[in-house]
Short mmCIF file of all heavy atoms in Angstrom, two decimals:
data_model
loop_
_atom_site.label_atom_id
_atom_site.label_comp_id
_atom_site.label_asym_id
_atom_site.label_seq_id
_atom_site.Cartn_x
_atom_site.Cartn_y
_atom_site.Cartn_z
N MET A 5 -6.73 -4.31 -16.72
CA MET A 5 -5.51 -3.51 -16.67
C MET A 5 -4.29 -4.43 -16.70
O MET A 5 -4.30 -5.50 -16.10
CB MET A 5 -5.50 -2.70 -15.37
CG MET A 5 -4.61 -1.46 -15.44
SD MET A 5 -4.48 -0.62 -13.86
CE MET A 5 -6.16 0.00 -13.68
N ASN A 6 -3.23 -4.01 -17.38
CA ASN A 6 -2.03 -4.82 -17.48
C ASN A 6 -0.84 -4.18 -16.77
O ASN A 6 -0.82 -2.98 -16.53
CB ASN A 6 -1.67 -5.07 -18.94
CG ASN A 6 -2.65 -6.01 -19.63
OD1 ASN A 6 -3.20 -6.91 -19.00
ND2 ASN A 6 -2.89 -5.80 -20.90
N CYS A 7 0.12 -5.02 -16.46
CA CYS A 7 1.34 -4.60 -15.77
C CYS A 7 2.11 -3.58 -16.61
O CYS A 7 2.31 -3.78 -17.80
CB CYS A 7 2.20 -5.83 -15.52
SG CYS A 7 3.80 -5.46 -14.81
N ARG A 8 2.56 -2.50 -15.96
CA ARG A 8 3.31 -1.47 -16.70
C ARG A 8 4.73 -1.91 -16.97
O ARG A 8 5.44 -1.29 -17.77
CB ARG A 8 3.28 -0.15 -15.94
CG ARG A 8 3.97 -0.22 -14.59
CD ARG A 8 3.54 0.91 -13.67
NE ARG A 8 3.69 0.48 -12.28
CZ ARG A 8 4.55 1.03 -11.42
NH1 ARG A 8 5.29 2.02 -11.78
NH2 ARG A 8 4.63 0.59 -10.19
N ILE A 9 5.20 -2.94 -16.30
CA ILE A 9 6.57 -3.42 -16.51
C ILE A 9 6.63 -4.45 -17.63
O ILE A 9 7.40 -4.32 -18.58
CB ILE A 9 7.15 -4.05 -15.22
CG1 ILE A 9 7.06 -3.07 -14.04
CG2 ILE A 9 8.60 -4.50 -15.44
CD1 ILE A 9 7.89 -1.81 -14.18
N CYS A 10 5.82 -5.49 -17.52
CA CYS A 10 5.95 -6.59 -18.48
C CYS A 10 4.68 -6.81 -19.30
O CYS A 10 4.67 -7.65 -20.19
CB CYS A 10 6.31 -7.88 -17.73
SG CYS A 10 4.94 -8.57 -16.80
N GLY A 11 3.61 -6.06 -19.01
CA GLY A 11 2.38 -6.23 -19.77
C GLY A 11 1.58 -7.44 -19.36
O GLY A 11 0.56 -7.76 -19.99
N GLY A 12 1.99 -8.11 -18.28
CA GLY A 12 1.28 -9.28 -17.79
C GLY A 12 -0.05 -8.92 -17.16
O GLY A 12 -0.37 -7.74 -16.99
N LYS A 13 -0.80 -9.93 -16.82
CA LYS A 13 -2.12 -9.70 -16.27
C LYS A 13 -2.04 -9.37 -14.78
O LYS A 13 -1.34 -10.01 -14.03
CB LYS A 13 -2.97 -10.96 -16.47
CG LYS A 13 -4.44 -10.73 -16.22
CD LYS A 13 -5.29 -11.63 -17.12
CE LYS A 13 -6.79 -11.42 -16.88
NZ LYS A 13 -7.20 -10.04 -17.18
N LEU A 14 -2.79 -8.35 -14.38
CA LEU A 14 -2.82 -7.96 -12.97
C LEU A 14 -3.98 -8.64 -12.27
O LEU A 14 -5.05 -8.80 -12.83
CB LEU A 14 -2.98 -6.44 -12.84
CG LEU A 14 -1.79 -5.60 -13.34
CD1 LEU A 14 -2.14 -4.13 -13.27
CD2 LEU A 14 -0.54 -5.89 -12.55
N GLU A 15 -3.72 -9.02 -11.05
CA GLU A 15 -4.68 -9.77 -10.27
C GLU A 15 -4.93 -9.01 -8.97
O GLU A 15 -4.00 -8.49 -8.35
CB GLU A 15 -4.04 -11.12 -9.96
CG GLU A 15 -4.91 -12.10 -9.27
CD GLU A 15 -4.14 -13.41 -9.07
OE1 GLU A 15 -2.94 -13.37 -8.72
OE2 GLU A 15 -4.75 -14.46 -9.26
N SER A 16 -6.20 -8.94 -8.52
CA SER A 16 -6.50 -8.28 -7.26
C SER A 16 -6.06 -9.15 -6.10
O SER A 16 -6.41 -10.32 -6.04
CB SER A 16 -8.01 -8.03 -7.15
OG SER A 16 -8.41 -7.13 -8.14
N VAL A 17 -5.29 -8.57 -5.20
CA VAL A 17 -4.86 -9.30 -4.02
C VAL A 17 -5.03 -8.41 -2.79
O VAL A 17 -5.12 -7.19 -2.89
CB VAL A 17 -3.38 -9.76 -4.11
CG1 VAL A 17 -3.19 -10.81 -5.18
CG2 VAL A 17 -2.46 -8.59 -4.36
N ILE A 18 -5.12 -9.04 -1.65
CA ILE A 18 -5.15 -8.32 -0.37
C ILE A 18 -3.87 -8.68 0.35
O ILE A 18 -3.57 -9.86 0.57
CB ILE A 18 -6.35 -8.79 0.49
CG1 ILE A 18 -7.66 -8.65 -0.26
CG2 ILE A 18 -6.37 -8.04 1.83
CD1 ILE A 18 -8.19 -7.27 -0.36
N THR A 19 -3.10 -7.66 0.71
CA THR A 19 -1.82 -7.96 1.32
C THR A 19 -1.43 -6.88 2.34
O THR A 19 -2.10 -5.87 2.47
CB THR A 19 -0.73 -8.10 0.23
OG1 THR A 19 0.45 -8.62 0.80
CG2 THR A 19 -0.43 -6.78 -0.44
N ASP A 20 -0.36 -7.12 3.06
CA ASP A 20 0.18 -6.14 4.01
C ASP A 20 1.33 -5.41 3.33
O ASP A 20 2.16 -6.04 2.69
CB ASP A 20 0.69 -6.82 5.28
CG ASP A 20 -0.38 -7.66 5.95
OD1 ASP A 20 -1.57 -7.41 5.68
OD2 ASP A 20 -0.03 -8.55 6.73
N MET A 21 1.36 -4.10 3.48
CA MET A 21 2.35 -3.33 2.73
C MET A 21 2.99 -2.26 3.62
O MET A 21 2.28 -1.51 4.28
CB MET A 21 1.62 -2.68 1.55
CG MET A 21 2.47 -1.90 0.60
SD MET A 21 3.52 -2.91 -0.45
CE MET A 21 2.32 -3.83 -1.39
N PRO A 22 4.32 -2.21 3.68
CA PRO A 22 4.96 -1.15 4.46
C PRO A 22 5.10 0.15 3.66
O PRO A 22 5.38 0.12 2.47
CB PRO A 22 6.34 -1.75 4.76
CG PRO A 22 6.60 -2.70 3.65
CD PRO A 22 5.28 -3.12 3.06
N PHE A 23 4.88 1.27 4.34
CA PHE A 23 5.08 2.58 3.72
C PHE A 23 6.06 3.37 4.57
O PHE A 23 5.95 3.39 5.79
CB PHE A 23 3.75 3.35 3.65
CG PHE A 23 2.78 2.76 2.68
CD1 PHE A 23 1.90 1.77 3.08
CD2 PHE A 23 2.74 3.19 1.36
CE1 PHE A 23 1.01 1.21 2.19
CE2 PHE A 23 1.85 2.64 0.46
CZ PHE A 23 0.98 1.65 0.88
N LYS A 24 6.99 4.02 3.91
CA LYS A 24 7.94 4.86 4.63
C LYS A 24 7.32 6.25 4.75
O LYS A 24 6.86 6.84 3.77
CB LYS A 24 9.25 4.93 3.84
CG LYS A 24 10.39 5.51 4.62
CD LYS A 24 11.71 5.08 3.99
CE LYS A 24 12.88 5.53 4.85
NZ LYS A 24 13.31 6.89 4.57
N VAL A 25 7.27 6.76 5.99
CA VAL A 25 6.71 8.08 6.22
C VAL A 25 7.79 8.97 6.80
O VAL A 25 8.44 8.61 7.78
CB VAL A 25 5.55 8.02 7.22
CG1 VAL A 25 4.70 9.28 7.14
CG2 VAL A 25 4.70 6.80 6.98
N ARG A 26 8.00 10.12 6.18
CA ARG A 26 9.03 11.05 6.64
C ARG A 26 10.39 10.34 6.70
O ARG A 26 10.66 9.46 5.90
CB ARG A 26 8.65 11.66 7.97
CG ARG A 26 7.39 12.50 7.84
CD ARG A 26 6.86 12.96 9.18
NE ARG A 26 5.41 13.09 9.10
CZ ARG A 26 4.56 12.12 9.40
NH1 ARG A 26 4.98 10.97 9.82
NH2 ARG A 26 3.28 12.31 9.27
N ASN A 27 11.22 10.70 7.67
CA ASN A 27 12.58 10.19 7.63
C ASN A 27 12.76 8.77 8.16
O ASN A 27 13.42 7.96 7.57
CB ASN A 27 13.51 11.13 8.40
CG ASN A 27 13.64 12.44 7.67
OD1 ASN A 27 13.56 12.47 6.44
ND2 ASN A 27 13.81 13.51 8.40
N ASN A 28 12.17 8.52 9.32
CA ASN A 28 12.46 7.21 9.92
C ASN A 28 11.24 6.51 10.49
O ASN A 28 11.35 5.79 11.47
CB ASN A 28 13.55 7.36 10.98
CG ASN A 28 13.25 8.53 11.90
OD1 ASN A 28 12.13 9.05 11.87
ND2 ASN A 28 14.20 8.95 12.68
N SER A 29 10.09 6.77 9.92
CA SER A 29 8.89 6.06 10.35
C SER A 29 8.45 5.10 9.27
O SER A 29 8.46 5.42 8.09
CB SER A 29 7.75 7.04 10.62
OG SER A 29 8.01 7.77 11.77
N ILE A 30 8.07 3.91 9.72
CA ILE A 30 7.53 2.92 8.81
C ILE A 30 6.11 2.60 9.27
O ILE A 30 5.88 2.34 10.46
CB ILE A 30 8.35 1.62 8.81
CG1 ILE A 30 9.81 1.88 8.43
CG2 ILE A 30 7.71 0.57 7.90
CD1 ILE A 30 10.07 2.07 6.97
N VAL A 31 5.18 2.65 8.35
CA VAL A 31 3.81 2.28 8.66
C VAL A 31 3.46 1.05 7.84
O VAL A 31 3.65 1.04 6.63
CB VAL A 31 2.83 3.42 8.32
CG1 VAL A 31 1.40 3.01 8.62
CG2 VAL A 31 3.19 4.68 9.10
N ILE A 32 3.01 0.03 8.53
CA ILE A 32 2.56 -1.16 7.82
C ILE A 32 1.04 -1.12 7.76
O ILE A 32 0.38 -1.03 8.80
CB ILE A 32 3.05 -2.44 8.52
CG1 ILE A 32 4.58 -2.49 8.47
CG2 ILE A 32 2.44 -3.68 7.85
CD1 ILE A 32 5.20 -3.58 9.30
N ILE A 33 0.52 -1.14 6.58
CA ILE A 33 -0.93 -1.16 6.42
C ILE A 33 -1.34 -2.58 6.05
O ILE A 33 -0.91 -3.12 5.03
CB ILE A 33 -1.41 -0.15 5.37
CG1 ILE A 33 -0.99 1.26 5.82
CG2 ILE A 33 -2.93 -0.22 5.19
CD1 ILE A 33 -1.46 2.37 4.92
N LYS A 34 -2.18 -3.14 6.90
CA LYS A 34 -2.59 -4.52 6.69
C LYS A 34 -3.86 -4.59 5.86
O LYS A 34 -4.64 -3.66 5.83
CB LYS A 34 -2.82 -5.20 8.06
CG LYS A 34 -1.56 -5.25 8.91
CD LYS A 34 -1.78 -6.01 10.19
CE LYS A 34 -1.82 -7.50 9.97
NZ LYS A 34 -0.52 -8.15 10.13
N LYS A 35 -4.03 -5.70 5.19
CA LYS A 35 -5.22 -5.97 4.39
C LYS A 35 -5.46 -4.90 3.33
O LYS A 35 -6.57 -4.43 3.12
CB LYS A 35 -6.46 -6.08 5.30
CG LYS A 35 -6.36 -7.25 6.26
CD LYS A 35 -7.59 -7.31 7.14
CE LYS A 35 -7.38 -8.22 8.32
NZ LYS A 35 -8.22 -7.84 9.45
N LEU A 36 -4.39 -4.50 2.70
CA LEU A 36 -4.48 -3.48 1.65
C LEU A 36 -4.82 -4.14 0.31
O LEU A 36 -4.15 -5.07 -0.12
CB LEU A 36 -3.12 -2.77 1.55
CG LEU A 36 -3.06 -1.56 0.64
CD1 LEU A 36 -3.89 -0.41 1.19
CD2 LEU A 36 -1.62 -1.12 0.47
N PRO A 37 -5.88 -3.64 -0.34
CA PRO A 37 -6.22 -4.22 -1.65
C PRO A 37 -5.36 -3.59 -2.74
O PRO A 37 -5.27 -2.38 -2.84
CB PRO A 37 -7.69 -3.83 -1.84
CG PRO A 37 -7.89 -2.61 -1.01
CD PRO A 37 -6.83 -2.62 0.08
N LEU A 38 -4.69 -4.41 -3.51
CA LEU A 38 -3.92 -3.87 -4.62
C LEU A 38 -3.90 -4.84 -5.79
O LEU A 38 -4.45 -5.93 -5.71
CB LEU A 38 -2.50 -3.49 -4.18
CG LEU A 38 -1.68 -4.48 -3.35
CD1 LEU A 38 -1.01 -5.49 -4.27
CD2 LEU A 38 -0.64 -3.75 -2.56
N LEU A 39 -3.30 -4.40 -6.87
CA LEU A 39 -3.22 -5.23 -8.06
C LEU A 39 -1.79 -5.71 -8.21
O LEU A 39 -0.86 -4.92 -8.16
CB LEU A 39 -3.62 -4.41 -9.30
CG LEU A 39 -5.05 -3.89 -9.29
CD1 LEU A 39 -5.25 -2.86 -10.40
CD2 LEU A 39 -6.04 -5.04 -9.47
N GLN A 40 -1.65 -7.02 -8.37
CA GLN A 40 -0.30 -7.58 -8.49
C GLN A 40 -0.18 -8.37 -9.78
O GLN A 40 -1.09 -9.10 -10.18
CB GLN A 40 -0.01 -8.47 -7.30
CG GLN A 40 1.45 -8.92 -7.27
CD GLN A 40 1.88 -9.41 -5.92
OE1 GLN A 40 1.13 -10.10 -5.24
NE2 GLN A 40 3.09 -9.08 -5.51
N CYS A 41 0.97 -8.20 -10.43
CA CYS A 41 1.23 -8.91 -11.68
C CYS A 41 1.56 -10.37 -11.39
O CYS A 41 2.41 -10.67 -10.57
CB CYS A 41 2.40 -8.24 -12.41
SG CYS A 41 2.85 -9.07 -13.93
N LYS A 42 0.87 -11.26 -12.10
CA LYS A 42 1.12 -12.69 -11.90
C LYS A 42 2.46 -13.09 -12.49
O LYS A 42 3.05 -14.09 -12.10
CB LYS A 42 0.02 -13.51 -12.59
CG LYS A 42 -1.30 -13.46 -11.88
CD LYS A 42 -2.39 -14.05 -12.76
CE LYS A 42 -3.04 -15.25 -12.13
NZ LYS A 42 -4.23 -15.68 -12.88
N ASN A 43 2.94 -12.31 -13.40
CA ASN A 43 4.13 -12.64 -14.14
C ASN A 43 5.42 -12.20 -13.42
O ASN A 43 6.33 -13.00 -13.23
CB ASN A 43 4.05 -11.99 -15.52
CG ASN A 43 5.02 -12.58 -16.51
OD1 ASN A 43 5.24 -13.79 -16.51
ND2 ASN A 43 5.59 -11.75 -17.33
N CYS A 44 5.48 -10.93 -12.99
CA CYS A 44 6.74 -10.42 -12.43
C CYS A 44 6.58 -9.91 -11.01
O CYS A 44 7.54 -9.41 -10.43
CB CYS A 44 7.30 -9.31 -13.32
SG CYS A 44 6.35 -7.78 -13.28
N ASN A 45 5.36 -10.00 -10.44
CA ASN A 45 5.11 -9.58 -9.05
C ASN A 45 5.16 -8.07 -8.83
O ASN A 45 5.11 -7.62 -7.71
CB ASN A 45 6.04 -10.29 -8.06
CG ASN A 45 5.65 -11.74 -7.88
OD1 ASN A 45 4.48 -12.09 -8.04
ND2 ASN A 45 6.60 -12.58 -7.56
N GLU A 46 5.28 -7.31 -9.89
CA GLU A 46 5.15 -5.86 -9.76
C GLU A 46 3.73 -5.57 -9.26
O GLU A 46 2.79 -6.27 -9.61
CB GLU A 46 5.37 -5.21 -11.14
CG GLU A 46 5.19 -3.71 -11.17
CD GLU A 46 6.30 -2.94 -10.47
OE1 GLU A 46 7.35 -3.54 -10.21
OE2 GLU A 46 6.09 -1.75 -10.19
N TYR A 47 3.59 -4.56 -8.40
CA TYR A 47 2.25 -4.26 -7.93
C TYR A 47 1.86 -2.82 -8.23
O TYR A 47 2.69 -1.97 -8.48
CB TYR A 47 2.12 -4.53 -6.43
CG TYR A 47 2.96 -3.62 -5.58
CD1 TYR A 47 2.46 -2.39 -5.17
CD2 TYR A 47 4.24 -4.00 -5.20
CE1 TYR A 47 3.24 -1.55 -4.40
CE2 TYR A 47 5.02 -3.15 -4.43
CZ TYR A 47 4.51 -1.93 -4.04
OH TYR A 47 5.28 -1.10 -3.29
N LEU A 48 0.56 -2.60 -8.22
CA LEU A 48 0.01 -1.30 -8.54
C LEU A 48 -1.10 -1.00 -7.55
O LEU A 48 -1.93 -1.86 -7.25
CB LEU A 48 -0.54 -1.36 -9.96
CG LEU A 48 -1.07 -0.08 -10.57
CD1 LEU A 48 -0.28 0.21 -11.84
CD2 LEU A 48 -2.53 -0.20 -10.91
N ILE A 49 -1.07 0.20 -7.00
CA ILE A 49 -2.12 0.61 -6.07
C ILE A 49 -3.05 1.56 -6.82
O ILE A 49 -2.60 2.55 -7.41
CB ILE A 49 -1.53 1.29 -4.82
CG1 ILE A 49 -0.59 0.31 -4.10
CG2 ILE A 49 -2.63 1.79 -3.90
CD1 ILE A 49 0.17 0.91 -2.93
N GLU A 50 -4.32 1.27 -6.81
CA GLU A 50 -5.28 2.11 -7.52
C GLU A 50 -5.38 3.48 -6.85
O GLU A 50 -5.20 3.62 -5.65
CB GLU A 50 -6.65 1.43 -7.55
CG GLU A 50 -6.66 0.23 -8.49
CD GLU A 50 -7.96 -0.55 -8.36
OE1 GLU A 50 -8.14 -1.20 -7.32
OE2 GLU A 50 -8.77 -0.48 -9.29
N ASP A 51 -5.73 4.50 -7.64
CA ASP A 51 -5.78 5.88 -7.14
C ASP A 51 -6.68 6.02 -5.92
O ASP A 51 -6.32 6.68 -4.95
CB ASP A 51 -6.27 6.82 -8.25
CG ASP A 51 -5.21 7.01 -9.33
OD1 ASP A 51 -4.04 6.62 -9.10
OD2 ASP A 51 -5.54 7.54 -10.40
N ALA A 52 -7.86 5.41 -5.96
CA ALA A 52 -8.80 5.54 -4.85
C ALA A 52 -8.22 4.93 -3.57
O ALA A 52 -8.40 5.48 -2.48
CB ALA A 52 -10.12 4.86 -5.20
N VAL A 53 -7.50 3.83 -3.73
CA VAL A 53 -6.89 3.17 -2.58
C VAL A 53 -5.73 4.02 -2.07
O VAL A 53 -5.55 4.20 -0.86
CB VAL A 53 -6.40 1.75 -2.97
CG1 VAL A 53 -5.63 1.11 -1.83
CG2 VAL A 53 -7.58 0.89 -3.39
N MET A 54 -4.97 4.58 -2.99
CA MET A 54 -3.81 5.41 -2.61
C MET A 54 -4.28 6.65 -1.84
O MET A 54 -3.62 7.08 -0.89
CB MET A 54 -3.05 5.82 -3.88
CG MET A 54 -1.61 6.23 -3.63
SD MET A 54 -0.61 4.94 -2.87
CE MET A 54 0.25 5.89 -1.62
N GLU A 55 -5.41 7.22 -2.23
CA GLU A 55 -5.95 8.38 -1.50
C GLU A 55 -6.26 8.01 -0.07
O GLU A 55 -5.99 8.77 0.86
CB GLU A 55 -7.24 8.88 -2.19
CG GLU A 55 -6.96 9.77 -3.36
CD GLU A 55 -8.24 10.19 -4.09
OE1 GLU A 55 -9.29 10.28 -3.42
OE2 GLU A 55 -8.17 10.41 -5.30
N LYS A 56 -6.86 6.84 0.09
CA LYS A 56 -7.19 6.37 1.43
C LYS A 56 -5.91 6.11 2.24
O LYS A 56 -5.83 6.43 3.42
CB LYS A 56 -8.03 5.09 1.29
CG LYS A 56 -8.35 4.42 2.57
CD LYS A 56 -9.75 4.76 3.04
CE LYS A 56 -10.00 4.05 4.36
NZ LYS A 56 -11.29 4.40 4.92
N VAL A 57 -4.91 5.55 1.58
CA VAL A 57 -3.62 5.32 2.24
C VAL A 57 -3.04 6.65 2.71
O VAL A 57 -2.54 6.76 3.83
CB VAL A 57 -2.64 4.59 1.29
CG1 VAL A 57 -1.21 4.63 1.83
CG2 VAL A 57 -3.10 3.15 1.09
N ASP A 58 -3.12 7.67 1.87
CA ASP A 58 -2.61 8.99 2.25
C ASP A 58 -3.32 9.50 3.50
O ASP A 58 -2.71 10.09 4.37
CB ASP A 58 -2.79 9.98 1.09
CG ASP A 58 -1.75 9.77 0.01
OD1 ASP A 58 -0.71 9.15 0.29
OD2 ASP A 58 -1.97 10.24 -1.13
N GLU A 59 -4.64 9.28 3.55
CA GLU A 59 -5.41 9.71 4.72
C GLU A 59 -4.94 8.97 5.97
O GLU A 59 -4.79 9.56 7.04
CB GLU A 59 -6.91 9.40 4.52
CG GLU A 59 -7.62 10.38 3.63
CD GLU A 59 -9.06 9.96 3.39
OE1 GLU A 59 -9.64 9.30 4.28
OE2 GLU A 59 -9.59 10.28 2.32
N ILE A 60 -4.73 7.68 5.82
CA ILE A 60 -4.27 6.86 6.95
C ILE A 60 -2.90 7.35 7.41
O ILE A 60 -2.66 7.56 8.59
CB ILE A 60 -4.22 5.36 6.57
CG1 ILE A 60 -5.64 4.83 6.32
CG2 ILE A 60 -3.54 4.55 7.67
CD1 ILE A 60 -5.69 3.45 5.71
N LEU A 61 -2.01 7.57 6.46
CA LEU A 61 -0.65 7.99 6.80
C LEU A 61 -0.64 9.37 7.45
O LEU A 61 0.20 9.65 8.31
CB LEU A 61 0.24 7.98 5.55
CG LEU A 61 0.47 6.61 4.90
CD1 LEU A 61 1.39 6.75 3.70
CD2 LEU A 61 1.03 5.59 5.89
N ALA A 62 -1.58 10.22 7.06
CA ALA A 62 -1.64 11.57 7.61
C ALA A 62 -2.06 11.55 9.09
O ALA A 62 -1.77 12.48 9.83
CB ALA A 62 -2.62 12.42 6.81
N ARG A 63 -2.73 10.48 9.49
CA ARG A 63 -3.22 10.40 10.88
C ARG A 63 -2.24 9.69 11.81
O ARG A 63 -2.48 9.59 13.01
CB ARG A 63 -4.55 9.60 10.90
CG ARG A 63 -5.73 10.35 10.34
CD ARG A 63 -7.02 9.72 10.84
NE ARG A 63 -7.10 8.30 10.51
CZ ARG A 63 -7.77 7.82 9.48
NH1 ARG A 63 -8.43 8.62 8.68
NH2 ARG A 63 -7.80 6.53 9.25
N VAL A 64 -1.16 9.18 11.23
CA VAL A 64 -0.23 8.38 12.02
C VAL A 64 0.49 9.22 13.06
O VAL A 64 0.82 10.38 12.83
CB VAL A 64 0.80 7.73 11.05
CG1 VAL A 64 2.00 7.20 11.79
CG2 VAL A 64 0.12 6.62 10.27
N ASP A 65 0.72 8.62 14.20
CA ASP A 65 1.50 9.23 15.27
C ASP A 65 2.91 9.52 14.74
O ASP A 65 3.66 8.61 14.39
CB ASP A 65 1.56 8.26 16.45
CG ASP A 65 2.40 8.82 17.59
OD1 ASP A 65 2.95 9.93 17.44
OD2 ASP A 65 2.50 8.15 18.61
N GLN A 66 3.28 10.78 14.69
CA GLN A 66 4.54 11.15 14.04
C GLN A 66 5.77 10.77 14.86
O GLN A 66 6.89 10.85 14.36
CB GLN A 66 4.55 12.65 13.75
CG GLN A 66 3.41 13.04 12.85
CD GLN A 66 3.56 14.44 12.29
OE1 GLN A 66 4.63 15.02 12.36
NE2 GLN A 66 2.50 14.98 11.74
N THR A 67 5.58 10.40 16.11
CA THR A 67 6.74 10.04 16.92
C THR A 67 7.03 8.54 16.88
O THR A 67 8.08 8.10 17.32
CB THR A 67 6.55 10.48 18.39
OG1 THR A 67 5.40 9.81 18.91
CG2 THR A 67 6.34 11.98 18.49
N ALA A 68 6.09 7.78 16.38
CA ALA A 68 6.28 6.33 16.36
C ALA A 68 7.22 5.92 15.23
O ALA A 68 7.13 6.42 14.11
CB ALA A 68 4.94 5.63 16.19
N GLU A 69 8.13 5.01 15.53
CA GLU A 69 9.04 4.54 14.48
C GLU A 69 8.39 3.47 13.61
O GLU A 69 8.69 3.33 12.44
CB GLU A 69 10.31 3.96 15.11
CG GLU A 69 11.22 5.03 15.62
CD GLU A 69 12.55 4.47 16.09
OE1 GLU A 69 12.81 3.29 15.82
OE2 GLU A 69 13.31 5.21 16.71
N LEU A 70 7.51 2.73 14.25
CA LEU A 70 6.83 1.67 13.51
C LEU A 70 5.38 1.60 13.97
O LEU A 70 5.09 1.55 15.16
CB LEU A 70 7.50 0.32 13.75
CG LEU A 70 6.82 -0.88 13.09
CD1 LEU A 70 6.97 -0.83 11.58
CD2 LEU A 70 7.39 -2.18 13.63
N GLU A 71 4.50 1.66 13.01
CA GLU A 71 3.08 1.59 13.34
C GLU A 71 2.42 0.58 12.40
O GLU A 71 2.75 0.51 11.23
CB GLU A 71 2.46 2.97 13.17
CG GLU A 71 1.03 3.04 13.65
CD GLU A 71 0.83 4.17 14.67
OE1 GLU A 71 1.62 5.12 14.67
OE2 GLU A 71 -0.11 4.06 15.46
N VAL A 72 1.52 -0.21 12.96
CA VAL A 72 0.79 -1.17 12.14
C VAL A 72 -0.68 -0.81 12.16
O VAL A 72 -1.28 -0.70 13.22
CB VAL A 72 0.99 -2.61 12.67
CG1 VAL A 72 0.24 -3.60 11.78
CG2 VAL A 72 2.46 -2.97 12.71
N LEU A 73 -1.22 -0.56 11.00
CA LEU A 73 -2.61 -0.14 10.89
C LEU A 73 -3.34 -1.05 9.91
O LEU A 73 -2.73 -1.73 9.10
CB LEU A 73 -2.69 1.31 10.40
CG LEU A 73 -2.05 2.37 11.30
CD1 LEU A 73 -1.94 3.67 10.55
CD2 LEU A 73 -2.87 2.54 12.57
N SER A 74 -4.64 -1.00 10.01
CA SER A 74 -5.44 -1.82 9.12
C SER A 74 -6.14 -0.93 8.10
O SER A 74 -6.64 0.13 8.45
CB SER A 74 -6.46 -2.61 9.94
OG SER A 74 -6.95 -3.66 9.17
N TYR A 75 -6.14 -1.35 6.87
CA TYR A 75 -6.87 -0.63 5.83
C TYR A 75 -8.34 -1.02 5.94
O TYR A 75 -8.69 -2.16 5.71
CB TYR A 75 -6.33 -1.00 4.46
CG TYR A 75 -7.03 -0.30 3.31
CD1 TYR A 75 -6.58 0.92 2.82
CD2 TYR A 75 -8.14 -0.87 2.71
CE1 TYR A 75 -7.21 1.55 1.79
CE2 TYR A 75 -8.78 -0.24 1.66
CZ TYR A 75 -8.32 0.98 1.20
OH TYR A 75 -8.95 1.60 0.17
N ALA A 76 -9.16 -0.07 6.35
CA ALA A 76 -10.58 -0.37 6.49
C ALA A 76 -11.34 0.27 5.36
O ALA A 76 -11.15 1.44 5.06
CB ALA A 76 -11.10 0.15 7.82
N VAL A 77 -12.17 -0.48 4.71
CA VAL A 77 -12.91 0.05 3.55
C VAL A 77 -14.09 0.91 4.01
O VAL A 77 -14.81 0.51 4.89
CB VAL A 77 -13.39 -1.09 2.65
CG1 VAL A 77 -14.16 -0.54 1.45
CG2 VAL A 77 -12.20 -1.91 2.19
ZN1 ZN B 116 4.55 -7.72 -14.73
#
């Protein structure tokens, strides 16, 4: 798969990624597998991973302003 921005090669990486949930909650998901462009650093989250992220975000404590969770396969 190639980068949608520059057409460069995408590389699988494991990284920590913040997600904004609702108005003022930030959830940091650690050890998230995603594809990152070696050329421009644009990243892409695969559909299967994004579904799992949605599940994780749906379980988050809605009153917390900042939550750090781990992406477990
Ligand atoms: Zn790129």
Side-chain angles (χ1 to χ4, degrees):
M5 202 186 292
N6 289 328
C7 175
R8 64 200 153 115
I9 305 295
C10 73
K13 193 148 180 61
L14 294 175
E15 185 178 42
S16 295
V17 293
I18 305 284
T19 190
D20 303 340
M21 183 73 63
F23 291 88
K24 193 159 186 275
V25 197
R26 296 171 210 92
N27 292 329
N28 46 13
S29 289
I30 301 282
V31 178
I32 296 171
I33 300 183
K34 298 184 76 93
K35 297 180 195 153
L36 187 68
L38 47 83
L39 298 168
Q40 188 161 40
C41 178
K42 287 168 119 171
N43 197 38
C44 70
N45 287 332
E46 177 71 15
Y47 66 87
L48 185 121
I49 300 174
E50 288 172 289
D51 288 347
V53 174
M54 201 59 224
E55 278 176 29
K56 175 100 181 176
V57 166
D58 283 341
E59 282 175 29
I60 293 170
L61 296 181
R63 287 200 304 261
V64 164
D65 179 358
Q66 301 192 15
T67 60
E69 285 187 11
L70 177 70
E71 187 126 23
V72 181
L73 298 168
S74 197
Y75 180 91
V77 180

